Amino acid sequence: MSQIVHLCSKNCSLIIKLARVPEILHWGNKIEQIDEDILLSTERPISQARLDVDVPLSLCPELGSGHFNAPGIEGHRNGYDWAPVFTTTEHYSSEGCAVFTLRDDVAHLELKIEIELDYDSDVVKKRISVTNLEHTKYYLTKLSATLPLPHHANELMTFHGRWSREFQTHRQAFSHGGFMQENRRGRTSHENFPGLFAGSNNFDQQNGQVWGFHLGWSGNHQLRADVKSDGRRFVQAGELLLAGEVRLDYMQSYSTPWLYACASNTGLNGISDRFHRYVRANIIKFPENKPRPVHLNTWEGIYFEHDPEYIMKMASEAAEMGVERFIIDDGWFVGRSGERSALGDWYLDEKKYPNGLEPVIEHVNQQGMEFGLWVEPEMISKDSILFREHPEWVLELKGYHQPSGRWQYVLNLQNQDCFDYLFERLSELLTRYNIAYLKWDMNRELVQPGHVGRPAVNGQTKALYALLDKLLATHPKVEIESCSSGGGRIDFEILKRTHRFWASDCNDALERQTIQRGMSYFFPPEVMGAHIGPDESHTTRRCHHINMRGMTALSGHMGVELDPVKVASEEKQAFAHYIALHKEYRQLLHSGRSFRLNASDHRQHINGVQSDDEMLITVCQLAMPDYALPAPLRISCVEPGASYQVKLVEMPETSFQLMKQRPSWLDKTLTLSGDNLREIGLTLPILDPESALMVHLKRI
Ligand code: DGJ
């Protein structure tokens, strides 16, 4: 059927109708065969008191053809050519991808719409480019990727957050009007993670049809979900362009970031499974195929107090606990005695390190660990040599006061000299020292980001990508962590050139449970930096037993974030225990299918990861249990006909406050059938608030 393009993946179909403009007829469960009559059966009536023509919800909806909701493209040429209407001139499609070229010969614009459906993961990715075909400049104010949703997508789950409280979720009805998120912070941001879910009524972790979306972009963005007054609904995402930010000269083009999306029949678990598969196969590029090393990061241990002898002691203790990569955080470079100085001066502070950094690195390496170093390349302090030499490198708008953030300013990466300086500094550090890992931080937002007077978030974001790309091309073995006051820059596009995220500055294990769960819908555990912090959290002052801290850190890319020299030996043994547990299961954790189970006690998180023959399930009691006895753990994702060996891996030793007698199976290995585990379940011990247990299942 030539008027239809049908893209298929393992479980999904994307059916696109070719008319004046391409329009998605179906995106969701796989349709094996398309009926001859599909064009007739999907033809819409025309309602009274509206336009006399049908208005398609196309791959780039146009205001000019009567789409009165958010158009996919907006712009003008000195006030003209502001309502383009396109006609498809060419299209190409192969099994998993389609490209459409559309033109407007009045406004002299060309659109290229690329859409791909990845066979293995069922993830769709879409992007649009616009080209100016005329000699007068075209001022683009918006170009976004739009994807339709079916009428039974009735509920939304969106994200909000702030520093130390990333990835918080919010549910709302999706029946009239919609949801709009605009991020103008110049980085992905803690506040506006560029992702959302829409789904059928009451969709949850395990049930319901859900559609998930994520815009892979680390700058400003706009994300919306809208219900039209005719009931049709859609999600739209693109870069948020500041006034005048994109001006296209003759034959110049602008492309949107990629919008990633997927559809699931099995609630949020199906979504995360698809995103994780896609990310693992297409986004993450680890330089070596090796287990993710366990970290020790010095920040919460010593902050700015750097004494090489002491740091070496920390390293020895770390190695004894089983740490595999030791990272010196902020405070190592010349003049960096606190937050207010030295950013930009990427030279070793020889007062703090009179014998250089080499002896420390050698010591770390001798203990069998890799060495990592913290940097914050995009920033400059006023109190720095760099600022005294190059005040003009600050990203600002001349004539206005530029506010500081954490007492620092942003460097203009589009300034070639500044870009070259940063590349030279970082490259020299990586050449001179045996550095396996950079923790790349970014601790403030962009305010009035001007490059030669014009808005520069787009340019700054692309220049950051270029700097990372150039550095990785020169030092292909180095790994980089994306940190931005914790989780302020977490997205698929930065992940193409980094290898781990610092999920949050909040190391309070209870808060981390929620943050990590929100992040886990999009990102697999091997890129989620999760550390055991001191017993008293430095951001909340809440105290947690090592069980809660260890179990919470264990399920991501694990690390420790404290001073091991100051910790009592009993506590150190406990760290070693959780590190060993992590290592025992990290192959499964970092390659298996992650899932979450609906807990009948809403004060519990039940998370799991499974391969074809193993499964690990963590039950975390977030607050006082709802009832005196916990509900049985019913595991829906086992094979009904299979048998499993079930054993407890871990539970808090001190958990005898609420429970006076343990179920006797805790000390045994059980053999249970899939049917039993699904339907009857496993009786759990009573967990005290803020504690967690772990169960392992092996298929026999
Ligand atoms: C903010 C980061 O999120 C922390 O982990 C730490 O690296 C500090 N910056 C250092 O200044």
Side-chain angles (χ1 to χ4, degrees), residues 472-674:
L472 287 170
T474 319
H475 304 276
K477 287 216 165 129
V478 87
E479 288 192 19
I480 301 179
E481 175 171 61
S482 173
C483 171
S484 182
S485 303
R489 192 154 64 194
I490 298 183
D491 61 78
F492 285 4
E493 195 56 38
I494 198 81
L495 187 55
K496 287 183 185 163
R497 35 196 65 86
T498 53
H499 309 92
R500 183 192 210 245
F501 294 115
W502 182 224
S504 180
D505 273 352
C506 189
N507 233 352
D508 171 326
L510 182 62
E511 297 297 329
R512 271 287 184 138
Q513 281 287 331
T514 314
I515 295 167
Q516 294 180 186
R517 171 166 281 212
M519 185 173 168
S520 78
Y521 295 124
F522 301 89
F523 300 91
E526 63 269 29
V527 296
M528 186 193 291
H531 294 180
I532 300 181
D535 53 353
E536 183 182 288
S537 156
H538 74 154
T539 47
T540 63
R541 296 283 167 240
R542 208 185 263 137
C543 291
H544 281 118
H545 187 264
I546 181 60
N547 159 269
M548 179 70 176
R549 288 182 286 144
M551 294 297 285
T552 304
L554 192 154
S555 55
H557 177 186
M558 191 182 186
V560 181
E561 179 97 18
L562 41 72
D563 176 359
V565 179
K566 295 220 175 78
V567 174
S569 77
E570 216 175 80
E571 183 96 339
K572 252 180 304 217
Q573 279 167 21
F575 298 157
H577 167 70
Y578 287 103
I579 290 173
L581 260 189
H582 173 78
K583 286 182 182 170
E584 189 179 343
Y585 293 111
R586 86 179 136 187
Q587 165 64 17
L588 172 62
L589 285 164
H590 292 173
S591 65
R593 298 185 292 279
S594 298
F595 62 88
R596 294 152 296 270
L597 299 178
N598 296 326
S600 30
D601 179 350
H602 62 279
R603 296 160 151 227
Q604 245 178 21
H605 270 176
I606 310 178
N607 302 327
V609 59
Q610 72 179 130
S611 67
D612 288 342
D613 51 17
E614 275 191 281
M615 192 182 296
L616 208 53
I617 298 186
T618 308
V619 181
C620 181
Q621 189 68 48
L622 305 172
M624 191 66 175
D626 222 7
Y627 300 104
L629 291 178
L633 176 65
R634 290 167 63 227
I635 308 170
S636 55
C637 47
V638 287
E639 279 296 317
S643 284
Y644 294 84
Q645 258 181 10
V646 181
K647 71 169 174 61
L648 177 79
V649 175
E650 182 66 21
M651 71 171 279
E653 272 168 25
T654 53
S655 176
F656 295 107
Q657 277 76 27
L658 295 178
M659 178 170 66
K660 64 178 165 206
Q661 187 178 313
R662 297 151 54 95
S664 60
W665 76 262
L666 296 181
D667 305 311
K668 305 193 164 80
T669 300
L670 307 178
T671 303
L672 294 171
S673 68

Side-chain angles (χ1 to χ4, degrees), residues 299 329-330 336 374 406 439 441 443 483 485-486 502 505:
W299 180 241
D329 205 283
D330 199 353
R336 184 66 165 173
W374 178 95
R406 206 198 185 195
K439 176 175 175 183
D441 208 344
N443 285 306
C483 171
S485 303
W502 182 224
D505 273 352

Side-chain angles (χ1 to χ4, degrees), residues 317-574:
E317 299 279 1
E320 250 175 60
M321 285 160 19
V323 168
E324 297 161 312
R325 185 184 270 160
F326 185 87
I327 299 112
I328 295 193
D329 205 283
D330 199 353
W332 59 269
F333 48 102
V334 62
R336 184 66 165 173
S337 47
E339 286 185 345
R340 295 187 183 221
S341 61
L343 291 171
D345 299 342
W346 302 110
Y347 298 88
L348 185 71
D349 189 333
E350 287 172 4
K351 278 197 201 134
K352 287 185 185 169
Y353 293 85
N355 301 321
L357 201 53
E358 289 87 346
V360 180
I361 300 179
E362 267 163 37
H363 179 77
V364 166
N365 293 156
Q366 274 160 13
Q367 308 297 307
M369 297 183 291
E370 293 178 6
F371 178 77
L373 196 63
W374 178 95
V375 286
E376 195 181 0
E378 297 146 84
M379 297 294 153
I380 183 165
S381 310
K382 272 210 171 147
D383 182 5
S384 67
I385 306 161
L386 188 68
F387 185 83
R388 286 187 279 279
E389 285 176 3
H390 291 291
E392 77 284 5
W393 285 3
V394 170
L395 187 69
E396 60 184 347
L397 210 48
K398 295 276 173 286
Y400 293 92
H401 168 74
Q402 172 67 212
S404 60
R406 206 198 185 195
W407 316 107
Q408 64 198 45
Y409 300 85
V410 185
L411 284 166
N412 179 0
L413 302 188
Q414 284 183 92
N415 176 319
Q416 194 58 46
D417 292 340
C418 174
F419 182 97
D420 292 344
Y421 165 80
L422 290 174
F423 175 75
E424 185 281 324
R425 277 295 78 228
L426 295 166
S427 187
E428 201 270 338
L429 286 172
L430 293 175
T431 309
R432 174 192 287 221
Y433 303 117
N434 186 19
I435 296 174
Y437 183 83
L438 286 178
K439 176 175 175 183
W440 187 299
D441 208 344
M442 194 281 195
N443 285 306
R444 61 157 289 173
E445 283 131 341
L446 274 47
V447 179
Q448 288 187 316
H451 172 59
V452 289
R454 302 202 35 239
V457 181
N458 175 280
Q460 178 80 3
T461 310
K462 287 182 176 158
L464 165 71
Y465 293 157
L467 182 59
L468 285 160
D469 290 342
K470 188 166 176 188
L471 210 60
L472 287 170
T474 319
H475 304 276
K477 287 216 165 129
V478 87
E479 288 192 19
I480 301 179
E481 175 171 61
S482 173
C483 171
S484 182
S485 303
R489 192 154 64 194
I490 298 183
D491 61 78
F492 285 4
E493 195 56 38
I494 198 81
L495 187 55
K496 287 183 185 163
R497 35 196 65 86
T498 53
H499 309 92
R500 183 192 210 245
F501 294 115
W502 182 224
S504 180
D505 273 352
C506 189
N507 233 352
D508 171 326
L510 182 62
E511 297 297 329
R512 271 287 184 138
Q513 281 287 331
T514 314
I515 295 167
Q516 294 180 186
R517 171 166 281 212
M519 185 173 168
S520 78
Y521 295 124
F522 301 89
F523 300 91
E526 63 269 29
V527 296
M528 186 193 291
H531 294 180
I532 300 181
D535 53 353
E536 183 182 288
S537 156
H538 74 154
T539 47
T540 63
R541 296 283 167 240
R542 208 185 263 137
C543 291
H544 281 118
H545 187 264
I546 181 60
N547 159 269
M548 179 70 176
R549 288 182 286 144
M551 294 297 285
T552 304
L554 192 154
S555 55
H557 177 186
M558 191 182 186
V560 181
E561 179 97 18
L562 41 72
D563 176 359
V565 179
K566 295 220 175 78
V567 174
S569 77
E570 216 175 80
E571 183 96 339
K572 252 180 304 217
Q573 279 167 21

